[in-house]
């Protein structure tokens, strides 16, 4: 059927057709179909496609009006093969699209709803040239969503070896994100040659889909990639994994590694390295460190400590058999001792008066730590004049020699704007319990991380017992499940007394282990990046 042409075949969903009487004219049926296309759950799908286009634009997949996104409108009363299709238009600024800019098509490609034209300088809307290819993926693979990306990774990976007809890669963790694949599987994606017009790709595209039944993507050389999935979540997840793998392959090629068979148990690769670098071992060392404190639950003591004699207040607490103590994490005294031994001066900077600061660091759960401190400053971190006064007082010529440590991101930014180095250190703790008895909040597995809300999290006891499970969401969201990383997280909490654990699939972390496949350790002597002590 020719795209965009009206069909005499009934394309109104079955449950709506039953409402049509036999005497209705084709015009009336067409109106019913158009009404259906503008109501019954379609708007939500239009809004979703609009949101995805904005997100994919940020990822560089649909730049320059290229690329397209299409999603089927879920309807539990209709088989997937008969569900409507919402599709982004062609030749438009994808990051500026709104739900009303989308096309609505029947399952066989008949245009049911066309977006309205916009005033100059916008072009008249037109249906994507990808439509025939999208329809083939919907028809042959019974897909629920199809994504066409012009991401630079998908283009470059087909240019590295011009005669290559397939993209192959293995021994990469992100392969597990592709439907029907595991870590030990080799991922194979067909590559077809580009044409002047996308509609001319239909034959080679169809052949590739049929010839590679396990693949959920087709690469087009010097062009981009088509990716599909059972649902929009599956298609999006796989698209992210595919682009990650394409990017990894390009980077491995730049490193001189054979990326079709990346290092695993059965492959050894080598790469030239630069040796004999002369490093300045003192580079990046600060002359002094300021610690900004905002101690929870003691602000009510500030006025009292500044107005009453310290010994009277302490006597009052002791008479009531209370202990007033500043509780610190285990790494604080160790860091203070190390900095002190290294000759680095450490100061406390807070909105509390100096007497409060001195009193609190005199009475900590590690004893009196004032011997490691060179002074106390009172001020407002958001007032840059406070930092200027500090520079004059401590006699530092270059503000960059000062490292300001705080748990407040705004303070760190203000400190950095004043010329100092800003560092953020955050840890949530319940001081009524020991570190080993703290509850654990954990993100679920197999979900769209950027769309999560607090209600989606798991809560576990310190020994891994699930205390709170997130509620299931409607289709196409999958039933929530606790992360497979949980046992590893628990070991880090148990052995290292950690307060937080992060598991990252960052491509840098992956590639750095690939460069030397026999390496059992990653070592760095010194870098220009300052890591907190």
């Amino acid at each position: 059927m020719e795209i965009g042409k009206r069909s005499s075949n009934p394309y109104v969903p079955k449950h709506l057709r039953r409402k049509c009487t036999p005497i209705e004219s084709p015009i009336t049926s067409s109106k019913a179909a158009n009404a259906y296309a503008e109501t019954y759950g379609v708007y939500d799908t239009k809004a979703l496609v609009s949101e995805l286009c904005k997100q994919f634009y940020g990822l560089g997949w649909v730049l320059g009006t290229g690329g397209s996104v299409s999603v089927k409108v879920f309807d539990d009363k209709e088989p997937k093969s008969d569900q409507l299709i919402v599709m982004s238009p062609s030749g438009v600024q994808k990051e500026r699209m709104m739900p009303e800019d989308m096309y609505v098509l029947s399952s066989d490609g008949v245009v049911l709803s066309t977006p309205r034209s916009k005033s100059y300088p916008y072009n008249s809307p037109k249906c994507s040239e990808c439509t025939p290819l999208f329809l083939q993926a919907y028809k042959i693979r019974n897909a629920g969503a199809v994504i066409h990306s012009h991401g630079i990774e998908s283009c470059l990976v087909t240019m590295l070896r011009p005669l290559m007809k397939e993209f192959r890669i293995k021994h990469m963790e992100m392969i597990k994100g592709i439907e029907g694949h595991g870590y030990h599987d080799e991922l194979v994606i067909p590559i077809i040659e580009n044409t002047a017009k996308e509609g001319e790709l239909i034959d080679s595209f169809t052949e590739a889909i049929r010839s590679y039944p396990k693949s959920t993507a087709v690469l087009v050389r010097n062009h981009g990639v088509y990716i599909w999935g059972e649902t929009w979540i599956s298609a999006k997840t796989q698209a992210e994994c595919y682009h990650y793998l394409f990017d990894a392959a390009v980077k491995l090629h730049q490193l001189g590694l054979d990326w079709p068979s990346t290092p695993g148990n059965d492959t050894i690769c080598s790469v030239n390295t630069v040796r004999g670098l002369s490093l300045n071992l003192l580079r990046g060392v600060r002359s002094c460190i300021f610690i900004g404190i905002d101690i929870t639950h003691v602000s009510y003591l500030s006025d009292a400590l500044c107005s009453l004699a310290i010994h009277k207040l302490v006597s009052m607490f002791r008479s009531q058999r209370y202990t007033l103590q500043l509780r610190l994490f285990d790494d604080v005294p160790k860091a203070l001792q190390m900095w002190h031994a290294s000759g680095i001066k450490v100061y406390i900077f807070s909105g509390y008066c100096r007497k409060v600061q001195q009193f609190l660091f005199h009475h900590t759960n590690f004893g009196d730590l004032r011997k490691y401190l060179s002074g106390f400053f009172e001020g407002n971190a958001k007032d840059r004049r406070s930092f200027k006064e500090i520079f004059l007082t401590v006699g530092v010529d270059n503000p960059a020699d000062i490292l300001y440590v705080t748990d407040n991101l705004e303070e760190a930014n203000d400190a950095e704007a004043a010329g100092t180095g800003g560092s953020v250190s955050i840890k949530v703790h319940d001081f009524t319990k020991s570190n080993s008895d703290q509850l654990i909040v954990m993100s679920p597995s197999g979900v769209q991380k950027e769309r999560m809300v607090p209600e989606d999290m798991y809560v576990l006891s310190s020994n891994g017992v699930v205390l709170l499970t997130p509620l299931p969401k409607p289709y196409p969201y999958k039933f929530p499940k606790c992360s497979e990383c949980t046992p590893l997280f628990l070991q880090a909490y148990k052995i290292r007394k950690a307060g937080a654990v992060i598991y990252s699939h960052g491509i840098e972390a992956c590639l750095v282990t690939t460069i030397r496949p026999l390496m059992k350790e990653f070592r760095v002597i010194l870098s220009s990046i300052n890591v907190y002590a």
Side-chain angles (χ1 to χ4, degrees):
M1 177 181 297
E2 187 176 354
I3 303 304
K5 295 294 184 180
R6 294 291 182 183
S7 171
S8 59
N9 296 328
Y11 46 80
V12 182
K14 293 177 182 177
H15 69 281
L16 187 58
R17 289 181 208 156
R18 288 193 291 270
K19 298 178 182 179
C20 301
T21 63
I23 61 174
E24 285 182 317
S25 66
I27 296 178
T28 306
S29 298
S30 178
K31 288 181 178 179
N34 288 335
Y36 178 87
E38 295 301 330
T39 55
Y40 203 77
V42 173
Y43 185 84
D44 289 342
T45 308
K46 287 183 174 182
L48 171 63
V49 174
S50 174
E51 178 189 346
L52 292 176
C53 284
K54 291 182 175 69
Q55 184 176 350
F56 295 166
Y57 176 85
L59 295 172
W61 298 355
V62 291
L63 300 178
T65 75
S68 187
V69 179
S70 68
V71 178
K72 282 205 168 184
V73 181
F74 175 69
D75 185 348
D76 56 5
K77 297 179 181 179
E78 289 292 318
K80 186 185 291 185
S81 59
D82 293 338
Q83 292 171 0
L84 300 183
I85 301 169
V86 172
M87 187 178 300
S88 61
S90 178
V92 299
Q93 307 296 313
K94 297 297 192 295
E95 79 281 10
R96 300 178 65 87
M97 287 198 305
M98 305 295 290
E100 52 269 21
D101 295 329
M102 304 301 162
Y103 278 85
V104 181
L105 285 72
S106 69
S107 59
D108 55 358
V110 176
V111 176
L112 305 180
S113 175
T114 302
R116 294 181 179 180
S117 298
K118 295 184 178 181
S119 58
Y120 181 85
Y122 292 96
N123 295 325
S124 298
K126 61 179 181 178
C127 204
S128 174
E129 292 185 5
C130 309
T131 304
L133 287 73
F134 282 15
L135 292 176
Q136 287 296 84
Y138 285 123
K139 178 182 177 181
I140 300 175
R141 292 300 182 83
N142 198 28
V146 185
I147 298 168
H148 176 38
S149 166
H150 282 194
I152 187 68
E153 312 93 332
S154 62
C155 183
L156 291 178
V157 80
T158 66
M159 301 170 66
L160 299 179
R161 298 178 180 177
L163 301 180
M164 183 173 59
K165 299 299 182 182
E166 298 172 336
F167 170 78
R168 293 176 174 265
I169 194 167
K170 60 182 179 179
H171 300 307
M172 297 288 282
E173 177 70 11
M174 292 296 273
I175 293 177
K176 292 165 61 175
I178 307 302
E179 288 184 0
H181 290 76
Y183 173 75
H184 295 290
D185 295 324
E186 182 178 36
L187 179 66
V188 182
I189 307 171
I191 301 175
I192 62 177
E193 299 302 322
N194 194 25
T195 57
K197 295 183 178 179
E198 289 192 73
E200 299 173 354
L201 293 169
I202 186 66
D203 291 337
S204 58
F205 181 81
T206 303
E207 182 182 354
I209 290 181
R210 295 188 186 280
S211 301
Y212 292 81
K214 194 175 180 180
S215 178
T216 55
V218 172
L219 282 161
V220 183
R221 197 182 311 280
N222 303 346
H223 183 149
V225 63
Y226 287 85
I227 301 166
W228 57 88
E230 181 183 359
T231 65
W232 70 265
I233 293 178
S234 172
K236 174 180 173 292
T237 300
Q238 291 184 92
E240 293 168 346
C241 293
Y242 277 125
H243 284 79
Y244 178 102
L245 294 168
F246 298 154
D247 189 28
V250 172
K251 287 182 167 62
L252 288 168
H253 179 80
Q254 293 172 335
L255 293 171
L257 294 175
D258 185 21
W259 54 263
S261 55
T262 52
N265 296 332
D266 57 349
T267 308
I268 297 178
C269 298
S270 62
V271 63
N272 293 328
T273 56
V274 179
R275 301 181 183 275
L277 294 177
S278 176
L279 299 175
N280 179 5
L281 297 180
L282 296 179
R283 183 176 58 188
V285 176
R286 307 281 182 173
S287 61
C288 61
I289 297 174
F290 275 77
I291 302 177
I293 60 171
D294 181 16
I295 306 167
T296 309
H297 305 313
V298 300
S299 57
Y300 69 95
L301 293 175
S302 181
D303 293 336
L305 287 174
C306 290
S307 59
L308 295 175
I310 295 295
H311 68 276
K312 287 185 178 181
L313 190 64
V314 173
S315 299
M316 180 179 67
F317 270 82
R318 286 177 177 172
S319 66
Q320 300 296 325
R321 296 183 179 179
Y322 289 120
T323 300
L324 184 61
Q325 190 179 71
L326 175 61
R327 300 294 301 275
L328 300 173
F329 294 109
D330 296 345
D331 55 347
V332 174
K334 296 177 182 177
L336 292 177
Q337 293 172 12
M338 184 188 68
W339 290 333
H340 182 74
S342 300
I344 299 175
K345 296 182 178 180
V346 181
Y347 300 86
I348 301 300
F349 180 81
S350 174
Y352 303 116
C353 69
R354 290 182 175 87
K355 288 184 179 179
V356 172
Q357 299 176 39
Q358 293 173 357
F359 175 82
L360 292 173
F361 279 91
H362 182 193
H363 301 84
T364 78
N365 53 320
F366 293 98
D368 188 356
L369 298 180
R370 291 177 300 172
K371 59 185 176 181
Y372 301 119
L373 303 175
S374 299
F376 301 86
F377 286 87
E378 176 185 352
N380 183 357
K382 294 185 177 181
D383 186 356
R384 296 186 183 180
R385 290 176 297 181
S386 298
F387 290 105
K388 292 181 179 179
E389 291 296 327
I390 290 174
F391 301 158
L392 294 175
T393 303
V394 301
V396 175
D397 297 326
N398 184 9
D401 289 338
I402 296 178
L403 176 64
Y404 185 82
V405 181
T406 176
D407 63 352
N408 188 304
L409 181 58
E410 293 183 4
E411 284 190 13
N413 291 334
D414 292 332
E416 189 170 5
T420 72
S423 177
V424 181
S425 177
I426 300 175
K427 191 173 183 181
V428 180
H429 198 88
D430 180 0
F431 286 119
T432 63
K433 299 180 179 180
S434 65
N435 193 59
S436 59
D437 294 332
Q438 300 291 316
L439 296 182
I440 301 169
V441 175
M442 187 177 299
S443 60
S445 177
V447 299
Q448 307 294 307
K449 297 297 192 293
E450 78 281 6
R451 301 176 70 91
M452 288 196 304
V453 294
E455 295 78 23
D456 295 332
M457 305 300 164
Y458 279 85
V459 178
L460 286 71
S461 67
S462 58
N463 58 356
V465 177
V466 176
L467 304 178
L468 182 63
T469 302
L471 294 175
K473 294 184 177 181
Y475 184 86
Y477 291 95
K478 294 182 178 180
F479 197 84
K481 61 179 181 179
C482 205
S483 174
E484 292 183 4
C485 311
T486 303
L488 287 73
F489 282 17
L490 293 176
Q491 287 297 93
Y493 284 123
K494 178 181 178 181
I495 299 174
R496 292 300 181 88
K497 310 288 185 190
V501 184
I502 299 172
Y503 174 40
S504 167
H505 279 195
I507 195 166
E508 307 87 354
C510 179
L511 294 181
V512 78
T513 64
T514 306
I515 294 174
R516 297 179 181 175
L518 301 182
M519 179 176 63
K520 299 300 183 182
E521 297 175 336
F522 173 73
R523 293 173 177 262
V524 173
I525 298 176
L526 188 65
S527 73
S528 60
I529 301 175
N530 293 308
V531 183
Y532 76 94

